[in-house]
Amino acid sequence: MNYFKSIKKIAAIAAIILCLPWSVGAVNDVQISDLVNFELQTADTAVLVTITADGGGQATNFFVESNYIDITLDNASNVTFRTNNTSRFFKVTKVSGSDDYTIDPSCPTNVVTMTGTGAQVILRLQVKMTDSCIVTPPVTPPVVTSGGGGGGGGFIPQVVVSGQIKINNGATETSVSNVILNISATNATQMAISNDPSFTATNWETLATSKPWTLLPGLGNRTVYAKFRNGNGVQSSIVSAVIAVKNALVIEPVEQESCSVDCSKLTYDLYIINPDGSERHMDQVRWAKKTTLPDGTLIVSFEDKGLDNNYSDVIVQLNTKNCSNITVSVLPSTARWSHQIKLKIFYQGVLKDDTVIWADSHLAQANPAVINMNDNGKICAAQEPVKIEIPMPVEPAVCSVDCSQLIYDLYIINPDGSERHMDQARWAKKTNLPDGSLVVNFEDKGLDNNYSDVIVQINTKNCSKITASAFPSSARWHHQIKLKVYARNILKDNITLWSDSSLAPISPITFNLNDNQNFCTGDAAVTVIEPVLPMPVETASSTVIKSECRSNTVFTRFLNIGSNDLDVLPLQKLLQCWGYIPASTVLTGHFGPATAAGVRKFQTISGIEALGYVGPATRAALNKYFMLQ
């Protein structure tokens, strides 16, 4: 038999508990106050639902049937009822009585307010599963405290949800529109943040203590709005924070680290966490039933407490066939408990992430999730590292660099062009490790001063094998990471280690300064080993090298296809004079295929391997021969 399990009515003076199987007669003019609870064993779901009356009103009669309760309200009464379960709603109809009574809202919801100014009215209150509409829960009512006129057992006071936000830790102004929100809340599990006070197109998200945020464009005061709610849908009032934007520089939002994940190497564990902390995993036969659909979708039906064993407490639909578009949704279920729904992700059997999909299973039904593993930095880090190779000349090195004469300056360049150098105490912290490595922690904007925006470890102990790597960091900006190298205080090279700091953690590099041509010319602080090179031989019968072709240029630079150096045009004139570049070719000062072909001809006649670019051996041959008088 379906019936209301009980009706508990607690008045301000005394408590009356009525156990009613089917119906009840008049309850003589009792005030419906904040201390009134009803417990309904609903006929359609066999689920116990607690209803709390929040407002005041006079009722002369309660009439109970198997699936509803009729309440006769006196004239001018105003009363609000709410359920403790957001997956149930009220359906209220007017049975008879005054036309002056109104029901708000008209859409079925878990909160119903009944108001009237005329004669008595009979209103019928039903409890149903949520299947027809979803409404935003109302603002939290005032805190209700027990006490007063005795009795009072069985009522649970309404929880107040509150919160606040700050912008950049309470700063009054900023020069950029990208800021950090500092968030705190009480009795809340979710938050909604917006630049719009009406929260248009704003979604609820899991509560966090901070959040990167982009203000509305332009200068002047900018306001950010926030509201909070708990697992039962009770909301806070709207709070806000204001900051003045001066000389705003709009910075493009930083894209998440992206990669191409091998879906075949991923495995998953979908599970729920009960309010008491116990877990129910998809592969635990005692607690979950799995069904695979023809399209590859997996339906997992969870049992939370094991009382009824109907495996309908939480039902999740999961499709991981394409790991760049994993879809997760929750089907209607019967559980009274609110559960967390989580997904563990394994790469080649190693746990890489444990993602909270929904913090409250009751809110999940209206919020399906889509997950792209290519945007998951933890999974990207598990892929094979992409090594950045610094292109080196294939010509054998001709320098032996004295490492003791070198000094270094590691630094970063911000997107706005400002630089942060390792020896600037305001912008960098240095730590020396026992193996000789140096760890440099950079601060980019100086907003939080936590020196964790870019973190680089470099070892220059052996300049023939310098190693550099970067750690994951909290910066939203993308930075260049560079290294200046000095020999006897003369800047010899300015090396770009990474053009984008977001890619650096997965791309450690190693390079050899002995292969760096900048250390083999001029007054470098290195020991230059001059190669023994054959001199070009001029003979009376030779038409390959004409002795009248001379140049006043001393060649000092590495030249290759694509070079536009000042040395290129003198080189082209010499090669054309010798006939290694056709006389009809227009000389432009750009090192192209014709110049490379001419260089190979000169290298061949000079006894140098014909590689087509000007390296140390070729430069030596050019200079030593053509500067002879």
Side-chain angles (χ1 to χ4, degrees):
M1 177 182 297
N2 293 319
Y3 59 93
F4 289 94
K5 183 177 181 182
S6 65
I7 296 180
K8 295 180 181 177
K9 183 159 188 65
I10 306 164
I13 299 176
I16 303 173
I17 300 177
L18 303 174
C19 296
L20 305 170
W22 281 95
S23 63
V24 63
V27 179
N28 299 321
D29 238 5
V30 176
Q31 170 72 29
I32 300 177
S33 72
D34 290 345
L35 301 180
V36 176
N37 281 3
F38 302 95
E39 287 189 353
L40 285 77
Q41 191 80 27
T42 63
D44 58 336
T45 62
V47 172
L48 183 68
V49 176
T50 301
I51 304 172
T52 302
D54 291 339
Q58 294 288 338
T60 58
N61 192 68
F62 295 91
F63 187 83
V64 180
E65 277 293 344
S66 61
N67 199 31
Y68 65 85
I69 177 170
D70 284 348
I71 304 174
T72 303
L73 294 177
D74 283 356
N75 63 322
S77 289
N78 182 326
V79 63
T80 297
F81 295 95
R82 68 180 66 241
T83 66
N84 69 331
N85 192 323
T86 56
S87 66
R88 306 293 188 273
F89 69 77
F90 287 113
K91 181 179 180 183
V92 179
T93 55
K94 189 185 302 180
V95 179
S96 64
S98 171
D99 291 334
D100 295 326
Y101 268 85
T102 59
I103 304 170
D104 178 46
S106 58
C107 176
T109 180
N110 66 325
V111 178
V112 169
T113 299
M114 291 166 279
T115 27
T117 58
Q120 283 188 339
V121 66
I122 300 176
L123 297 172
R124 178 162 296 174
L125 180 64
Q126 293 175 281
V127 179
K128 294 277 189 178
M129 287 287 292
T130 298
D131 57 6
S132 59
C133 74
I134 298 169
V135 297
T136 303
V139 174
T140 308
V143 177
V144 178
T145 57
S146 59
F155 175 70
I156 301 175
Q158 181 68 50
V159 174
V160 172
V161 177
S162 62
Q164 65 174 350
I165 60 170
K166 295 180 180 179
I167 304 175
N168 288 348
N169 285 318
T172 59
E173 60 182 52
T174 178
S175 61
V176 295
S177 57
N178 293 86
V179 296
I180 299 295
L181 301 182
N182 312 106
I183 305 161
S184 61
T186 303
N187 299 324
T189 58
Q190 290 189 308
M191 63 183 185
I193 311 292
S194 179
N195 290 320
D196 177 5
S198 64
F199 291 85
T200 303
T202 301
N203 296 320
W204 289 98
E205 58 185 291
T206 301
L207 180 67
T209 57
S210 65
K211 180 179 177 66
W213 190 255
T214 302
L215 304 172
L216 290 176
L219 303 178
N221 287 341
R222 293 292 178 264
T223 304
V224 181
Y225 302 88
K227 57 184 178 179
F228 307 89
R229 71 181 182 186
N230 64 13
N232 292 326
V234 178
Q235 288 188 34
S236 72
S237 58
I238 296 174
V239 297
S240 62
V242 179
I243 194 168
V245 181
K246 298 182 178 181
N247 299 321
L249 172 65
V250 177
I251 301 170
E252 291 296 329
V254 177
E255 295 182 358
Q256 285 185 300
E257 182 178 328
S258 184
C259 61
S260 181
V261 174
D262 184 350
C263 299
S264 66
K265 296 181 179 180
L266 297 179
T267 54
Y268 308 88
D269 175 19
L270 181 71
Y271 67 106
I272 64 173
I273 300 179
N274 293 328
D276 62 5
S278 57
E279 299 181 0
R280 305 291 184 250
H281 292 258
M282 59 185 276
D283 291 324
Q284 294 175 322
V285 178
R286 172 65 184 89
W287 300 111
K289 302 290 186 184
K290 296 187 293 184
T291 303
T292 302
L293 303 183
D295 67 349
T297 299
L298 179 68
I299 295 179
V300 184
S301 304
F302 290 98
E303 174 67 24
D304 57 5
K305 290 177 286 186
L307 298 179
D308 51 17
N309 294 318
N310 60 4
Y311 295 90
S312 63
D313 296 320
V314 180
I315 306 173
V316 184
Q317 185 169 297
L318 173 70
N319 192 320
T320 60
K321 189 174 181 180
N322 179 2
C323 65
S324 65
N325 188 33
I326 294 175
T327 57
V328 196
S329 58
V330 173
L331 306 180
S333 59
T334 61
R336 296 182 60 204
W337 272 358
S338 296
H339 311 77
Q340 285 191 64
I341 303 178
K342 303 187 71 175
L343 183 68
K344 289 185 177 181
I345 305 157
F346 299 82
Y347 182 82
Q348 291 185 319
V350 179
L351 178 63
K352 290 299 178 182
D353 202 2
D354 192 3
T355 302
V356 177
I357 303 177
W358 295 284
D360 185 340
S361 56
H362 289 154
L363 303 176
Q365 295 176 24
N367 298 288
V370 178
I371 305 170
N372 182 359
M373 288 301 163
N374 291 321
D375 292 336
N376 188 315
K378 296 177 182 178
I379 305 301
C380 289
Q383 301 285 293
E384 291 297 323
V386 179
K387 295 183 179 179
I388 296 178
E389 298 290 345
I390 296 180
M392 299 295 179
V394 295
E395 197 169 359
V398 295
C399 295
S400 176
V401 177
D402 184 354
C403 299
S404 66
Q405 299 298 316
L406 302 181
I407 55 176
Y408 306 88
D409 176 19
L410 181 70
Y411 68 105
I412 64 172
I413 302 178
N414 293 328
D416 62 5
S418 57
E419 298 182 0
R420 305 292 185 248
H421 291 258
M422 60 185 273
D423 291 324
Q424 294 175 321
R426 171 65 183 89
W427 301 112
K429 302 290 187 184
K430 297 186 294 185
T431 304
N432 290 299
L433 302 184
D435 66 350
S437 296
L438 177 68
V439 176
V440 185
N441 296 59
F442 289 98
E443 174 68 24
D444 56 5
K445 290 177 284 187
L447 296 180
D448 49 19
N449 293 318
N450 61 4
Y451 295 90
S452 64
D453 297 320
V454 179
I455 305 172
V456 182
Q457 180 174 331
I458 188 166
N459 192 324
T460 60
K461 188 175 181 180
N462 179 2
C463 63
S464 66
K465 188 181 181 182
I466 294 177
T467 59
S469 59
F471 297 93
S473 61
S474 59
R476 297 183 64 223
W477 273 357
H478 290 201
H479 312 76
Q480 288 188 63
I481 303 178
K482 305 193 73 172
L483 181 69
K484 289 184 177 181
V485 186
Y486 297 81
R488 295 192 184 127
N489 296 319
I490 300 173
L491 178 63
K492 301 305 295 182
D493 206 355
N494 191 8
I495 303 169
T496 299
L497 302 181
W498 296 280
S499 59
D500 185 339
S501 56
S502 67
L503 302 177
I506 61 170
S507 306
I509 60 175
T510 301
F511 56 97
N512 181 1
L513 289 184
N514 288 318
D515 294 334
N516 189 318
Q517 298 301 316
N518 293 317
F519 293 90
C520 298
T521 60
D523 295 326
V526 297
T527 302
V528 179
I529 302 174
E530 293 289 343
V532 178
L533 300 172
M535 295 294 293
V537 178
E538 291 184 287
T539 63
S541 61
S542 174
T543 59
V544 177
I545 298 180
K546 301 176 182 179
S547 60
E548 66 270 17
C549 298
R550 294 281 188 255
S551 173
N552 292 325
T553 299
V554 177
F555 296 99
T556 61
R557 298 173 178 86
F558 178 81
L559 303 176
N560 199 359
I561 289 181
S563 296
N564 291 287
D565 197 273
L566 293 176
D567 286 356
V568 175
L569 187 58
L571 172 66
Q572 290 173 329
K573 290 179 179 180
L574 284 173
L575 295 175
Q576 194 173 61
C577 181
W578 294 324
Y580 299 158
I581 293 179
S584 60
T585 300
V586 177
L587 304 181
T588 62
H590 174 75
F591 198 121
T595 305
V599 169
R600 281 193 290 271
K601 292 178 182 178
F602 170 74
Q603 289 170 329
T604 299
I605 199 65
S606 301
I608 302 170
E609 185 178 2
L611 299 173
Y613 60 80
V614 178
T618 305
R619 281 198 305 271
L622 287 167
N623 292 335
K624 291 185 177 181
Y625 181 80
F626 293 111
M627 295 307 296
L628 293 175
Q629 299 300 322

